[in-house]
Amino acid sequence: MNRHLSLQLGLAAAILLALVGAVLFGETALSAAQYGQALADPASGPGEVLWQVRAPRAVCALMVGAALGLAGAVLQGLLRNPLADPGVLGVSATAALGAAGAIVLGAAAIPGLVESAALVGAALAGLLLVVIAARVRAPEALILFGVALSSFAGALTALIFNLSPSPIASAEVMNWLLGSVQNRSWIDVAWVAPALAVAAVFAAGASPGLRMLTLGEEAARASGLSMGRMRVLALIASAVAAGAAVAVAGVIGFVGLAAPHLVRAAVRGDPGRLLLPSALAGGLMLVLADLAARLMATDQELKLGVFTALVGAPLFALIAWRAAREWRL
């Protein structure tokens, strides 16, 4: 069994264990008899807790984490930058802007409309990035445009929050920006799963190009790589994945950054083989993070986006420090 397959099987086994733990454990403790009742009768009270509350929340965290991990791996390969993540090109920020606008306009009362608005925001960002990528060749220029787009979308979201006439809508926007999979249902899983599948298809199409890009852009072109097509596939994959994640769970940072780094050594830095392990690692990270946030002894449950930021910010600093040392060398 090769190293790559062993990594995938190991991550899949860890995910299965994490999902079992996320279903079995929570803020409300159940007795052994109640667990038995839940298994025998899913419609019972304990069964409702396990299969209609905890299980969809855990699966939703898995899907969202996988989407963010996949988007991060694609962008790091495309931009050849280990510090790239779904937020660096503004996709997450524009998706959050769409969701915030829909909430303030009262769309939260209509099922699926806020999620649709977030996906539209991400799609618009992806379209802009595709247009820019067709006109510029340097990845640095695309990064700078993404940073500008992210800042502008963040400013508009803050403006919406500031001018919102309803305190209730403002609170909903804030909860969205903090990121969470709390109270998510199987309907939310049905939202993110197809989008993740679509993103995976486009990422698979970009995978050979990302691998060739490690030779350098000129060498990749000489080998017959269509840079324009590869960029379009990669940007669509990252936009769809990140947009779906924000649509369901709000803004959750650092997963897309950290997940590829956790598995990069095992694939020897091959960006084409990094995609699936990064998705699995991202899903595992978010399931464990959500379980930890649920089990922490706090008066109010810690928001998932806050938890990942607290853990991810030091990791980001470490990655940046190592990158800076390599650049000096």
Side-chain angles (χ1 to χ4, degrees):
M1 185 180 298
N2 61 48
R3 190 177 184 181
H4 187 232
L5 180 58
S6 298
L7 172 65
Q8 294 180 47
L9 292 176
L11 287 171
I15 287 172
L16 182 59
L17 291 175
L19 287 175
V20 171
V23 172
L24 292 181
F25 302 106
E27 185 178 356
T28 302
L30 299 179
S31 66
Q34 287 175 316
Y35 282 122
Q37 184 182 3
L39 293 174
D41 183 11
S44 63
E48 289 284 335
V49 172
L50 260 62
W51 309 121
Q52 300 302 322
V53 177
R54 292 181 185 174
R57 176 173 179 165
V59 175
C60 193
L62 172 64
M63 294 289 183
V64 169
L68 293 173
L70 177 64
V74 170
L75 290 177
Q76 288 178 18
L78 174 66
L79 301 176
R80 287 168 287 170
N81 188 326
L83 303 181
D85 80 330
V88 76
L89 293 184
V91 176
S92 296
T94 52
L97 173 61
I103 291 171
V104 170
L105 292 174
I110 304 174
L113 201 53
V114 173
E115 290 84 353
S116 298
L119 288 174
V120 168
L124 290 176
L127 179 61
L128 283 173
L129 291 170
V130 168
V131 172
I132 295 298
R135 296 176 178 271
V136 299
R137 294 179 58 182
E140 294 82 2
L142 194 60
I143 293 174
L144 290 175
F145 177 81
V147 171
L149 179 61
S150 182
S151 298
F152 184 64
L156 289 179
T157 302
L159 180 65
I160 290 174
F161 181 77
N162 183 240
L163 298 180
S164 173
S166 169
I168 297 177
S170 297
E172 289 181 359
V173 171
M174 179 56 68
N175 284 330
W176 193 275
L177 295 179
L178 292 177
S180 177
V181 290
Q182 188 177 11
N183 299 325
R184 297 306 188 265
S185 67
W186 292 114
I187 295 176
D188 296 294
V189 174
W191 262 98
V192 69
L196 177 57
V198 170
V201 171
F202 280 98
S207 175
L210 295 176
R211 183 177 294 114
M212 293 174 64
L213 198 57
T214 58
L215 303 174
E217 188 168 324
E218 294 301 326
R221 289 180 184 274
S223 299
L225 173 65
S226 172
M227 286 295 300
R229 179 179 179 275
M230 188 270 294
R231 284 182 177 178
V232 168
L233 291 173
L235 289 172
I236 291 176
S238 58
V240 171
V246 175
V248 171
V251 181
I252 298 176
F254 294 104
V255 175
L257 170 71
H261 285 277
L262 294 177
V263 296
R264 179 170 278 113
V267 299
R268 298 192 172 103
D270 184 340
R273 303 179 72 181
L274 185 65
L275 302 182
L276 179 56
S278 295
L280 294 174
L284 176 62
M285 286 175 60
L286 212 57
V287 172
L288 293 176
D290 183 55
L291 179 59
R294 277 194 286 150
L295 296 179
M296 289 184 69
T298 55
D299 292 336
Q300 292 185 353
E301 183 178 311
L302 192 63
K303 292 294 184 182
L304 188 53
V306 176
F307 186 86
T308 57
L310 289 172
V311 176
L315 177 61
F316 181 86
L318 177 61
I319 293 171
W321 173 254
R322 288 180 175 176
R325 292 182 61 185
E326 291 177 1
W327 292 335
R328 283 205 306 268
L329 294 176

